[in-house]
């Protein structure tokens, strides 16, 4: 059992709380049984795992599976787990995992572009929503919070393991948008979101919470799409707006698929 917070692996886990270290090492931390199970289902192999003796049975079974597959699984004291964790009440399971390497689609059909989303919870929820709604990629523009920030990872609930995600410059993002309609979510946009033909290859730009989209992303948009609301409501936050629009796209695409089957 590891009982010292000066242990080299413990210090490495703590160092991964810094973006610079994550980028240098190409590693990030996931905590909790549910996220760890998502990693297992996605065939993601941790570098190593910390667990405590009081871990719930589901978690112990997962640790046993990883151990049997050759992953280094180390029991740690509650004090070490607390020192390693980014949460106030650690769940008793923590894994150090390599950055996701899912390939971006050559010809995207539904791409989400985050422009300057700085709130980790919002970005994580956006990733989770994009995955659930069937988006095939998410591109993060400059000024967006680090996708491997611990709060982003928790809010995304495993989307990192299933969805191709990249942080890019605006020229690089633009190079991935040929032959695809690009819509910018804007509270004052003239096109209601449900009137867009989302069955065509599409990209949706979602701007940040405070300042909205910037001129760099706006240059790629052919139009602005809005969500009609009652006058008392000024706007929705980024993740909620994305959910409304993306699930309309999913609805339309589901109809197309059903039509093709019949």
């Amino acid at each position: 059992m590891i009982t010292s917070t000066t242990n080299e692996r413990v210090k490495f886990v703590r160092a991964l709380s810094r973006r610079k270290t994550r980028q240098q090492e190409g590693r990030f931390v996931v905590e909790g049984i549910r996220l760890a199970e998502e990693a297992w289902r996605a065939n993601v192999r941790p570098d190593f795992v910390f667990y405590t003796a009081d871990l719930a049975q589901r978690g112990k079974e997962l640790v046993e599976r990883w151990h049997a597959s050759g992953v280094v699984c180390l029991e740690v004291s509650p004090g070490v787990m607390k020192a390693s964790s980014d949460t106030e009440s650690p769940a008793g399971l923590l894994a150090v995992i390599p950055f996701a390497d899912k390939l971006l689609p050559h010809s995207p059909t539904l791409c989400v572009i985050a422009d300057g989303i700085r709130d980790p919870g919002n970005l994580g929820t956006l990733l989770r929503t994009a995955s659930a709604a069937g988006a095939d990629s998410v591109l993060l523009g400059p000024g967006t919070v680090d996708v491997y920030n611990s709060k982003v990872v928790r809010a995304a609930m495993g989307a990192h393991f299933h969805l191709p995600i990249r942080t890019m410059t605006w020229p690089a993002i633009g190079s991935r948008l040929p032959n695809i309609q690009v819509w910018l979510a804007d509270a004052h946009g003239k096109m209601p979101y449900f009137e867009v033909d989302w069955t065509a290859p599409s990209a949706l730009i979602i701007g940040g919470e405070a300042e909205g989209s910037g001129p760099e992303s706006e240059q790629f948009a052919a139009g602005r799409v809005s969500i009609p609301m009652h006058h008392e409501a000024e706007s929705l936050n980024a993740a909620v707006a994305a959910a409304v629009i993306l699930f309309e796209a999913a609805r339309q695409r589901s109809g197309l698929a059903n039509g093709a089957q019949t």
Side-chain angles (χ1 to χ4, degrees):
M1 178 191 296
I2 298 176
T3 59
S4 173
T5 57
T6 62
N7 177 277
E8 289 302 315
R9 290 187 190 268
V10 177
K11 290 194 288 187
F12 181 66
V13 171
R14 295 173 69 175
L16 289 175
S17 65
R18 299 188 292 270
R19 180 173 186 169
K20 182 177 180 181
T21 304
R22 291 194 296 270
Q23 293 297 327
Q24 289 174 341
E25 300 293 337
R27 301 289 185 273
F28 70 111
V29 176
V30 300
E31 295 189 52
I33 295 172
R34 185 170 176 182
L35 268 179
E37 287 176 335
E38 285 296 324
W40 170 266
R41 280 192 284 268
N43 244 354
V44 175
R45 183 182 176 87
D47 286 357
F48 61 90
V49 173
F50 283 174
Y51 67 96
T52 54
D54 61 352
L55 180 63
Q57 185 60 32
R58 267 175 58 206
K60 288 179 179 178
E61 292 171 358
L62 178 58
V63 169
E64 289 172 2
R65 292 198 296 270
W66 264 329
H67 177 71
S69 70
V71 173
V72 175
C73 298
L74 302 164
E75 183 179 348
V76 302
S77 68
V80 166
M81 181 62 75
K82 187 171 181 60
S84 304
S85 174
D86 189 58
T87 64
E88 290 188 10
S89 301
L93 180 61
L94 174 156
V96 172
I97 289 180
F99 281 1
D101 60 354
K102 295 186 74 65
L103 296 176
L104 291 170
H106 179 70
S107 300
T109 60
L110 183 58
C111 173
V112 179
I113 303 170
D115 179 11
I117 296 179
R118 295 181 173 85
D119 180 82
N122 252 351
L123 180 60
T125 303
L126 174 63
L127 297 176
R128 184 180 182 184
T129 300
S131 180
D136 53 22
S137 55
V138 175
L139 307 180
L140 310 181
T144 297
V145 65
D146 179 27
V147 70
Y148 293 108
N149 175 291
S150 60
K151 292 180 180 178
V152 175
V153 173
R154 285 198 296 274
M157 293 301 295
H160 290 74
F161 309 132
H162 305 290
L163 189 62
I165 307 167
R166 295 289 187 280
T167 298
M168 293 182 166
T169 63
W170 286 116
I173 290 174
S175 70
R176 300 200 61 82
L177 302 176
N179 306 316
I180 186 171
Q181 62 173 352
V182 181
W183 291 96
L184 174 67
D186 183 345
H188 305 292
K190 295 182 178 180
M191 175 70 82
Y193 73 99
F194 48 79
E195 291 186 6
V196 173
D197 178 11
W198 295 106
T199 63
S202 307
L204 174 66
I205 300 172
I206 300 291
E209 303 82 5
E211 300 175 358
S213 58
E216 296 89 348
S217 64
E218 291 172 358
Q219 66 178 310
F220 300 117
R224 296 171 182 257
V225 62
S226 63
I227 302 170
M229 292 180 287
H230 290 289
H231 295 300
E232 309 86 56
E234 181 180 347
S235 64
L236 301 173
N237 79 13
V240 173
V244 171
I245 298 170
L246 289 173
F247 275 97
E248 168 60 15
R251 184 192 68 80
Q252 291 186 21
R253 288 161 178 264
S254 174
L256 181 65
N258 291 338
Q261 290 172 1
T262 57

